Amino acid sequence: MRDPFDIPSRKAVRRKPFRPRCKTCRTNKHIIPIVYSVDISEELFEKEAKGELKIGGNCRSVDAPNWYCTCCGGSFLR
């Protein structure tokens, strides 16, 4: 019999991270985030080499894209 007070935590039932669809490819399989940072570390360079993220520069403007499609090379806002 299951314990009625055993409530699963929110961390156990989390969904996958949000990734929007590419406007051109119409899929979200090849979408990676664009990271803007003043201090770019070796860890960020390693993740960019693996293809987990894209380095966007040192400052972000209001209309700068925050997602990048590795398939078609397009970048876009949400």
Side-chain angles (χ1 to χ4, degrees):
M1 187 169 146
R2 193 173 152 191
D3 184 15
F5 297 106
D6 184 26
I7 300 171
S9 68
R10 292 183 143 228
K11 291 181 181 178
V13 293
R14 281 198 179 154
R15 296 181 293 176
K16 292 180 182 178
F18 172 77
R19 291 181 190 243
R21 286 185 176 197
C22 177
K23 311 286 189 244
T24 309
C25 303
R26 308 304 267 165
T27 183
N28 64 352
K29 293 179 181 178
H30 308 285
I31 302 297
I32 57 173
I34 299 176
V35 176
Y36 296 92
S37 177
V38 175
D39 4 320
I40 298 173
S41 63
E42 289 296 322
E43 180 183 352
L44 288 178
F45 281 123
E46 289 172 4
K47 286 186 177 184
E48 186 181 34
K50 290 179 188 176
E52 296 176 3
L53 59 86
K54 180 168 174 58
I55 297 175
N58 59 357
C59 69
R60 184 177 192 276
S61 66
V62 176
D63 58 345
N66 55 355
W67 297 100
Y68 178 78
C69 180
T70 57
C71 185
C72 69
S75 55
F76 54 91
L77 284 168
R78 204 185 244 217

